[in-house]
Amino acid sequence: MKTIAMFGALTALASSSAVAGLSYSASYDWNDGGTVIGSYGSNVSFANVVDPVDGGSDRALEISEDPLSGTPQGYLAWITGLNEGDTIDVSMLGLGDGDVTSKVRLWAHYTTSDITSYGGSASGPSDYSTSATEWVELDHTWTFSQNSEGTRNGMVIEVRLYSYSDNDITSGWVDDFNVDVFSTSSDVNILTPGNIPAPGALALLGLAGLAGRKRRRH
């Protein structure tokens, strides 16, 4: 059982009650050795590590920045097949002191073709991981919005790392990632580190060289 500092509760049903249609869910807990499905920044690295708080057999994602520059990002999910007005509820656990060393944040952006494309920021919550000793729950609800050109085809959920130059610690951690989509579309697909397609299909998604598996933690 994780030690969690509760920052806010995920309200998937309440926030999505206006959407009539289908629901889709995916989750990932890093217990099978995966990392991310993509990233932004040449100075960021990812490792599947023992849970730094609870230890034991639990695993987590470690995000590290070296050298310090910009805002490195790890991609945790790519959601495609969305319609205008569909809602995406996301939660994850974050670790890293929000004031002293490094901190993580939940964010998102749109895509226009494969996962490497960029169709504009989808923003995210203002919350950060605020503790270096307890997992903090971070969550947000997005509503899919098409741009004026009608070129957006999906949304990437990111974890962002913010580090401080006067400290040696340049890492943050993530665990227990969950996505719930409420859509009027029957074509929604949620790609996570746990369901990256077979190698022959990776190039079609702009994901060549990435791999991972999925297991849900209860």
Side-chain angles (χ1 to χ4, degrees):
M1 178 67 69
K2 283 193 180 296
T3 303
I4 302 173
M6 295 298 292
F7 196 91
L10 181 67
T11 55
L13 294 178
S15 64
S16 305
S17 60
V19 177
L22 301 171
S23 61
Y24 306 81
S25 297
S27 61
Y28 192 64
D29 62 10
W30 286 275
N31 276 346
D32 64 0
T35 54
V36 295
I37 62 173
S39 63
Y40 176 81
S42 60
N43 60 329
V44 62
S45 61
F46 305 93
N48 187 294
V49 299
V50 172
D51 185 321
V53 174
D54 299 317
S57 61
D58 283 345
R59 309 291 295 185
L61 174 69
E62 181 179 38
I63 312 161
S64 300
E65 179 181 2
D66 184 27
L68 299 184
S69 177
T71 306
Q73 304 156 23
Y75 300 165
L76 304 182
W78 183 31
I79 306 159
T80 55
L82 296 164
N83 287 337
E84 179 79 21
D86 290 351
T87 58
I88 303 99
D89 293 331
V90 176
S91 69
M92 71 179 190
L93 300 182
L95 182 70
D97 196 302
D99 299 314
V100 179
T101 54
S102 299
K103 57 190 178 184
V104 296
R105 186 182 197 181
L106 187 60
W107 207 253
H109 69 267
Y110 295 103
T111 56
T112 56
S113 56
D114 64 23
I115 195 174
T116 66
S117 63
Y118 183 77
S121 175
S123 301
S126 58
D127 309 332
Y128 298 87
S129 56
T130 55
S131 174
T133 58
E134 291 183 311
W135 288 102
V136 174
E137 183 174 33
L138 305 172
D139 57 61
H140 191 66
T141 297
W142 284 271
T143 300
F144 186 78
S145 178
Q146 188 57 263
N147 58 7
S148 58
E149 296 82 13
T151 58
R152 289 174 175 166
N153 74 329
M155 179 181 288
V156 171
I157 308 301
E158 314 166 5
V159 55
R160 293 190 165 201
L161 177 65
Y162 299 79
S163 300
Y164 301 91
S165 59
D166 56 348
N167 289 280
D168 292 333
I169 299 175
T170 59
S171 295
W173 295 264
V174 176
D175 204 358
D176 287 357
F177 175 69
N178 295 280
V179 181
D180 293 292
V181 177
F182 299 84
S183 176
T184 57
S185 169
S186 60
D187 298 319
V188 170
N189 182 66
I190 306 173
L191 184 70
T192 71
N195 62 359
I196 292 177
L202 290 177
L204 297 177
L205 298 171
L207 292 170
L210 299 176
R213 299 179 181 85
K214 172 183 175 183
R215 191 180 80 186
R216 185 183 183 96
R217 174 181 296 167
H218 298 280

